[in-house]
Amino acid sequence: MKKTLLALGAMVYLLACKEQEGSKTATANGAANYNAAGKQVLVYTTADSTSYRLTLTDTLQFTDMGQPLETQPCIFVDPSHSFQTMLGIGGALTDASAETFARLPKDKQTEFLQAYYNTEKGIGYSMARTNIASCDFSSGSYGYIKEGDTALASFSVAHDEQYRIPFIQRAIAAAGGKLTMFASPWSPPAFMKDNNSLLQGGKLQPQYYNAWAHHYVKFIQAYEKAGIPIWGVSVQNEPMAKQKWESCLFTAEDELNFVKNHLGPVLEKEGMKDKKIVIWDHNRDLMYQRAAAAYADPEAAKYIWGLGYHWYESWTGGGKIYDNVKRVSETFPDKHLMFTEGCFENFDLKKINDWHYGETYGRNMLTDFNNGTDGWTDWNILLDEKGGPNHVGNFCFAPVHADSATGKLMYMSSYYYIGHFSKFIRPGAKRIVAAASRGQLITTAFINEDGKIAVVVMNDTNTRVPYSLWIKGKAAQTESLPHSIMTLVL
């Protein structure tokens, strides 16, 4: 058995290497000889109206089960077909999160870092996003250079040294010294824009494209000097949204021009060819149009790692448009997809225990991963009891909130739902086939580099659903509680 597991681990590692070379297509070599016989299944559950919160609730054994009947609900898992490789799961380390963290008592700071980054006692976050200069979740607007300094001679991240840089440094340490970090700008300096303001949209003027590209380099250099490696950058947060906070508009043509003729070449010239460039970084609604425009130009596409997207497309009155993620993934299989932001707006402390918030995270994550997404990053990792700080009153929910007066940490259902993925599906894992035979159940599955399989099953109905985890003629019996999420690890 030990030799079998070692061989399986080696096979998964080789597949992960192949994925890193650009392959995102299914392969029959995922774990073609996988045998569930003799394996235990550890069941971790979070459920409404119970005390279960990522709780080990059962240990299952496989028995023989041939052709299931239609009356026998199943989750079918097939390790012999694999897809994208997991980059990581995490949340944004913003100014607001850093300032809230700094106000916590020392013991609560330790609790918070362990809760998010410890793989045993916490949920094992492995990714992070941060803002380049100010965003709405900053206490005020600020930049890194003096007005009119196109040479960037005055560039300084001194502002971030008070709260954000120390916070990120501690997060990296809590994660074991490694955190895949990407950074996003909300606005270029005001003088570079045609509206001469950090706020209310506006456009980057062409004469400043090159200076702005070098601004990314300066940011990366400053943060890496502080011991914060930067994996990559997105071109612009929400490039089609004119916001009352920091924002800047980029059409597809603008973004292509900037990446192809400025950002890509500048990063390459400055020895940063390994830094990933993520386009779009906005909602699912227009993501196919943006991907098609970018990837149709090989001179731009060669610099682009992939496309980032958010979940706010329903602001126009429609629902979620999950299938657009699949359209991009299946049309451009050699490029990557990353969820770069999502949260609930209109913070209300009275609703902090509402269960539906976690279920919304669960449904988005399950669907996005099944549609080909490589990595998933939540928005603010921590906010205060008002849903901030935020300098424009755009107060929102986060998976964890802190009471500034008492130091108490409040964990929302979303924290646990995210944890059912991040704790058990580790960077380098490959998605494998998981299919449910009941409409009440939503599922996905990954095989980790160590050979362990994690199957996530969510039930957002009022119905208790008994089912079998079925793998190649072997089955383990369990049940899904109403309004629950469970991860089965084998």
Side-chain angles (χ1 to χ4, degrees), residues 44 46 53-55 89 110-126 174-175 381 400 411 415-426 487:
Y44 297 85
T46 294
R53 299 294 182 271
L54 278 167
T55 304
I89 298 170
T110 300
E111 176 190 330
F112 171 85
L113 291 171
Q114 179 177 275
Y116 266 119
Y117 293 106
N118 189 285
T119 54
E120 297 298 324
K121 298 180 180 179
I123 61 174
Y125 268 14
S126 56
I381 199 170
V400 180
Y411 296 83
Y415 166 82
Y416 299 101
Y417 271 70
I418 297 170
H420 275 272
F421 301 87
S422 59
K423 185 178 180 70
F424 305 106
I425 302 168
R426 305 302 301 160
T487 305

Side-chain angles (χ1 to χ4, degrees), residues 65-77 434-443 455 457 465-471 473-478 488:
M65 182 180 183
Q67 172 65 58
L69 302 175
E70 290 182 297
T71 54
Q72 295 175 300
C74 289
I75 297 291
F76 299 106
V77 173
S437 71
R438 286 295 182 275
Q440 299 98 319
L441 305 180
I442 316 170
T443 184
V455 184
V457 181
V465 183
Y467 69 91
S468 296
L469 177 65
W470 193 99
I471 303 177
K474 305 291 182 182
Q477 311 296 319
T478 187
L488 299 90

Side-chain angles (χ1 to χ4, degrees), residues 343-408:
C343 75
F344 287 94
E345 300 167 289
N346 304 313
F347 179 77
D348 183 347
L349 187 60
K350 296 175 184 177
K351 297 180 179 180
I352 201 165
N353 294 316
D354 286 7
W355 198 256
H356 75 90
Y357 292 121
E359 291 184 331
T360 300
Y361 272 85
R363 181 175 290 275
N364 276 269
M365 295 181 78
L366 284 159
T367 310
D368 287 343
F369 287 135
N370 285 337
N371 285 340
T373 294
D374 299 85
W376 214 93
T377 43
D378 186 32
W379 188 209
N380 298 280
I381 199 170
L382 174 69
L383 292 173
D384 65 18
E385 73 281 2
K386 298 178 181 178
N390 184 296
H391 71 91
V392 287
N394 179 33
F395 300 117
C396 296
F397 289 91
V400 180
H401 285 265
D403 187 315
S404 298
T406 66
K408 177 185 177 182

Side-chain angles (χ1 to χ4, degrees), residues 74-75 140 146-147 177 191 207 242 262 329 380 391 440 444:
C74 289
I75 297 291
K146 294 180 179 178
E147 189 73 6
F191 76 87
Q207 65 266 34
K242 178 183 177 181
H262 301 277
S329 178
N380 298 280
H391 71 91
Q440 299 98 319
T444 194

Side-chain angles (χ1 to χ4, degrees), residues 197-224:
S197 171
L198 295 176
L199 318 180
Q200 298 289 343
K203 297 189 70 171
L204 177 66
Q205 299 183 79
Q207 65 266 34
Y208 297 117
Y209 274 21
N210 203 54
W212 181 230
H214 280 90
H215 190 280
Y216 294 78
V217 171
K218 291 284 190 180
F219 175 85
I220 293 169
Q221 290 172 336
Y223 264 60
E224 294 196 336

Side-chain angles (χ1 to χ4, degrees), residues 45-56 355 413 416 420:
T45 304
T46 294
D48 192 16
S49 304
T50 73
S51 61
Y52 298 154
R53 299 294 182 271
L54 278 167
T55 304
L56 179 60
W355 198 256
S413 57
Y416 299 101
H420 275 272

